[in-house]
Amino acid sequence: MVLHVLDLVGVAVFAVSGALAAGRKHLDLLGVVVIALVTAIGGGTLRDLLLDRHPVFWIERPLYLPVILGAALLTVLYAKFFKPPHKSLLVADAFGLALFSIGGAQIAEQTHLSGLPIVVMGTITGAAGGVLRDMLLADIPVILKRGRIYATAAIVGIVLYLGLQALGLVQTWAALLGMTVIAGLRLAAIIWGLMLPIFSLSETPLES
Amino acid sequence: MVLHVLDLVGVAVFAVSGALAAGRKHLDLLGVVVIALVTAIGGGTLRDLLLDRHPVFWIERPLYLPVILGAALLTVLYAKFFKPPHKSLLVADAFGLALFSIGGAQIAEQTHLSGLPIVVMGTITGAAGGVLRDMLLADIPVILKRGRIYATAAIVGIVLYLGLQALGLVQTWAALLGMTVIAGLRLAAIIWGLMLPIFSLSETPLES
Amino acid sequence: MVLHVLDLVGVAVFAVSGALAAGRKHLDLLGVVVIALVTAIGGGTLRDLLLDRHPVFWIERPLYLPVILGAALLTVLYAKFFKPPHKSLLVADAFGLALFSIGGAQIAEQTHLSGLPIVVMGTITGAAGGVLRDMLLADIPVILKRGRIYATAAIVGIVLYLGLQALGLVQTWAALLGMTVIAGLRLAAIIWGLMLPIFSLSETPLES
């Protein structure tokens, strides 16, 4: 119950970030709603398709769609009068990433995956919505490019979560520690500008 | 039977619009065929994956692929000699959108969805092919951007279709009225340039 | 067994090509890994989703993910010291395309598809990973654009493979001949610059 409410809050935060990204590209109202939807449910939907979980989570639980719709429209309304609170949103987004990544990893565990596939599924759940958002906006996804720690925080947290369980810790504590590390790493990355190394090649094409 | 023929005509129209978009980006013949395919069957395929309907519609019914292939190649041939009839295509596309959106909504009803998920599935069926086409062409999807009524017409028509049924109208009549409204709104949008409001934010990035 | 090893080699080659493409766009290490993954397993994953084959191939066989991860990281390391061997990679890629396309067609045959859907599934298996890679990099997919024979080689080889079987040849020989034709056509295209015709329209938009 508490988890479902937290989940809806996370989805709403992702929807707000999608709506703001749509505004920066000057989309129309329909575009805002579509980008908000894709950002908020894209990752979990891809996970459900890959794991053959049906009905897909937002079909099974009817609250997701109205919450996203409401968050997107309120964002448009709010932005008419005030400046969006970018810093608070970044913090909320860090918690959303933590919650979704560990949640996605747990769903993958329930379907009897192990090891790397769990890490992939958790990371997809947390970060693929933002990737799909940027693909729709015809940009190289920001989380692949900037060097800032984002999906990497999810990967570290999920690996820790799996490792702690392998060492005998109960799942609940492993999950809480995993989420703390994800949110903490992400916030640290924002505050101190932690970066991943960039891989830079000259533009010689492979295809010919 | 009549519906299946209409459906194939709609698919052919979407394939032609995809082939023309590929030509405007100077793709090669394979690119033309791929874009025509994605435009014509992308929306229905995404719907079938999300609803776990297998085999996917164009695998189950073998006529779709040859019709699309034929439509794409005839478009290339035709465009060598004549100017494409943009206005007739826009009108045909409006009817294709109406047919696919209500058809997609009916398929969602058969799998016992209700409310908003039906609206989402119908809209995906009618409009997601064009979104995937533009993603492949590395453009922001035109239906999210221009402000012109397109997917919005589908949403209005599907909501009407569901509302009329809730009020007791038989499904066939509700479907016909829903399709009429979709095609009508779309044609009105073309003729009078009806627009959705644009959501414009300055370019300050959320990520940091 | 031999086939599985060849398959892993093919996957590694695709991962290397993905990692190099990521480097040309100056992505960070996470971006390199994601693009390598998508390039290597994107086509097979799309095929498995469309055919409702679960678990998806890289979940079922645990070696794919570490091989791709290793190939991506070794590529970054190697490129720090040496120039990537573009020509050898193009040749290896031609064999990967041949192997995956015919392999994908055989999987489609096992699920009782016939005719055009088999050709589509084989081509997706061989070529869709590269398309997804370019979509993530916000480029028009190179295989749709350049006119160089790539997916077209896959299509020709798969059609030959199906035709030879229809004429009574045993599957193994038909597969070997199909693969030879794909790799041969692709290498011929590289050496002699064989091109598909381009379809060029002026930029008048369809939508209005």
Side-chain angles (χ1 to χ4, degrees):
Chain A
M1 179 62 204
V2 174
L3 266 179
H4 188 44
V5 171
L6 277 177
D7 203 40
L8 287 172
V9 172
V11 158
V13 170
F14 279 20
V16 170
S17 102
L20 291 174
R24 283 192 296 275
K25 292 283 186 168
H26 317 293
L27 300 196
D28 61 34
L29 271 190
L30 177 94
V32 171
V33 168
V34 170
I35 301 290
L37 269 172
V38 166
T39 309
I41 64 178
T45 303
L46 185 53
R47 173 204 64 211
D48 284 353
L49 290 179
L50 290 171
L51 293 178
D52 200 24
R53 293 178 82 232
H54 291 280
V56 164
F57 76 100
W58 50 270
I59 294 178
E60 180 152 52
R61 300 210 166 184
L63 270 176
Y64 287 104
L65 294 183
V67 163
I68 293 165
L69 213 63
L73 297 178
L74 282 176
T75 304
V76 173
L77 213 65
Y78 184 95
K80 280 227 174 303
F81 303 104
F82 310 103
K83 249 182 98 94
H86 287 305
K87 283 192 183 153
S88 324
L89 281 171
L90 276 174
V91 174
D93 185 84
F95 285 99
L97 177 70
L99 190 70
F100 287 0
S101 303
I102 297 295
Q106 292 187 325
I107 287 170
E109 281 179 306
Q110 285 165 19
T111 53
H112 308 291
L113 263 59
S114 61
L116 268 178
I118 295 182
V119 179
V120 171
M121 290 301 160
T123 311
I124 284 176
T125 309
V131 170
L132 288 167
R133 172 199 65 206
D134 293 346
M135 288 176 79
L136 275 170
L137 297 175
D139 281 331
I140 297 183
V142 72
I143 73 160
L144 307 179
K145 195 177 54 172
R146 287 268 187 85
R148 294 288 159 87
I149 306 283
Y150 190 90
T152 312
I155 293 170
V156 171
I158 298 166
V159 169
L160 181 77
Y161 162 73
L162 295 175
L164 289 174
Q165 282 190 87
L167 294 173
L169 200 64
V170 288
Q171 202 198 25
T172 315
W173 281 104
L176 281 173
L177 282 166
M179 283 194 244
T180 308
V181 164
I182 295 173
L185 256 179
R186 179 70 190 124
L187 292 174
I190 294 167
I191 295 169
W192 293 297
L194 304 184
M195 308 277 275
L196 284 178
I198 303 285
F199 178 41
S200 256
L201 284 175
S202 58
E203 279 284 340
T204 43
L206 175 66
E207 297 292 327
S208 97
Chain B
M1 179 61 203
V2 174
L3 267 180
H4 188 46
V5 171
L6 277 178
D7 203 40
L8 287 171
V9 172
V11 159
V13 170
F14 278 22
V16 170
S17 102
L20 291 174
R24 284 192 297 273
K25 292 281 188 169
H26 317 294
L27 300 196
D28 62 32
L29 271 190
L30 176 93
V32 171
V33 168
V34 170
I35 301 289
L37 270 172
V38 166
T39 310
I41 64 179
T45 303
L46 184 53
R47 174 205 62 212
D48 284 355
L49 290 179
L50 289 172
L51 293 178
D52 200 25
R53 293 178 80 232
H54 292 279
V56 163
F57 75 100
W58 50 270
I59 295 179
E60 179 151 54
R61 301 212 165 183
L63 270 175
Y64 287 104
L65 294 182
V67 163
I68 293 165
L69 213 63
L73 296 178
L74 282 176
T75 303
V76 174
L77 212 65
Y78 184 95
K80 279 227 172 303
F81 303 104
F82 310 103
K83 250 183 98 92
H86 287 305
K87 282 192 184 154
S88 323
L89 281 171
L90 276 174
V91 174
D93 186 84
F95 284 100
L97 176 69
L99 191 68
F100 287 1
S101 303
I102 297 295
Q106 293 186 325
I107 287 170
E109 280 178 305
Q110 285 164 21
T111 53
H112 307 294
L113 263 60
S114 61
L116 268 178
I118 296 182
V119 178
V120 171
M121 290 301 161
T123 311
I124 284 177
T125 309
V131 170
L132 288 167
R133 172 198 66 205
D134 293 346
M135 287 175 79
L136 275 169
L137 297 175
D139 281 332
I140 297 183
V142 72
I143 72 160
L144 307 180
K145 194 176 56 170
R146 285 271 187 82
R148 293 287 159 86
I149 306 284
Y150 190 91
T152 312
I155 293 169
V156 170
I158 299 166
V159 169
L160 181 76
Y161 162 72
L162 294 175
L164 289 174
Q165 283 190 86
L167 294 173
L169 200 64
V170 288
Q171 202 198 25
T172 315
W173 281 104
L176 281 173
L177 281 167
M179 284 194 245
T180 307
V181 163
I182 295 172
L185 255 179
R186 178 73 189 122
L187 292 174
I190 294 167
I191 296 169
W192 292 296
L194 305 184
M195 308 278 274
L196 284 178
I198 303 284
F199 178 41
S200 256
L201 284 176
S202 58
E203 280 284 339
T204 43
L206 175 66
E207 297 293 327
S208 98
Chain C
M1 178 61 203
V2 174
L3 266 180
H4 188 44
V5 171
L6 277 178
D7 202 40
L8 287 171
V9 173
V11 158
V13 170
F14 278 22
V16 170
S17 100
L20 291 174
R24 284 193 296 274
K25 292 281 186 170
H26 317 293
L27 300 197
D28 61 33
L29 271 190
L30 176 95
V32 171
V33 168
V34 170
I35 301 289
L37 270 172
V38 166
T39 310
I41 64 178
T45 303
L46 184 53
R47 173 205 63 212
D48 284 355
L49 289 179
L50 289 171
L51 293 179
D52 199 25
R53 292 179 79 233
H54 291 280
V56 164
F57 76 101
W58 51 270
I59 294 178
E60 180 150 55
R61 300 210 165 185
L63 270 176
Y64 286 104
L65 293 183
V67 163
I68 293 165
L69 213 62
L73 296 178
L74 282 175
T75 303
V76 173
L77 212 65
Y78 183 95
K80 280 229 173 298
F81 303 104
F82 311 102
K83 247 182 99 94
H86 287 305
K87 282 190 184 155
S88 323
L89 280 171
L90 276 173
V91 174
D93 186 84
F95 284 100
L97 177 69
L99 191 68
F100 288 0
S101 304
I102 298 295
Q106 292 186 324
I107 286 170
E109 281 179 305
Q110 285 164 20
T111 52
H112 309 292
L113 263 59
S114 62
L116 268 177
I118 296 182
V119 178
V120 171
M121 290 299 161
T123 310
I124 284 177
T125 310
V131 170
L132 288 168
R133 172 198 64 206
D134 293 346
M135 286 175 80
L136 274 170
L137 297 175
D139 281 332
I140 295 182
V142 72
I143 73 161
L144 307 179
K145 192 176 58 171
R146 285 267 188 85
R148 292 288 158 87
I149 307 283
Y150 189 92
T152 313
I155 293 170
V156 171
I158 298 166
V159 169
L160 181 76
Y161 162 74
L162 294 175
L164 289 174
Q165 283 191 87
L167 294 173
L169 200 64
V170 287
Q171 202 199 24
T172 315
W173 281 105
L176 282 173
L177 282 167
M179 284 194 244
T180 309
V181 163
I182 295 172
L185 256 179
R186 178 71 190 124
L187 292 174
I190 294 167
I191 296 169
W192 292 298
L194 304 185
M195 307 278 274
L196 284 177
I198 304 283
F199 177 41
S200 257
L201 283 177
S202 58
E203 279 285 339
T204 43
L206 175 65
E207 296 293 327
S208 97

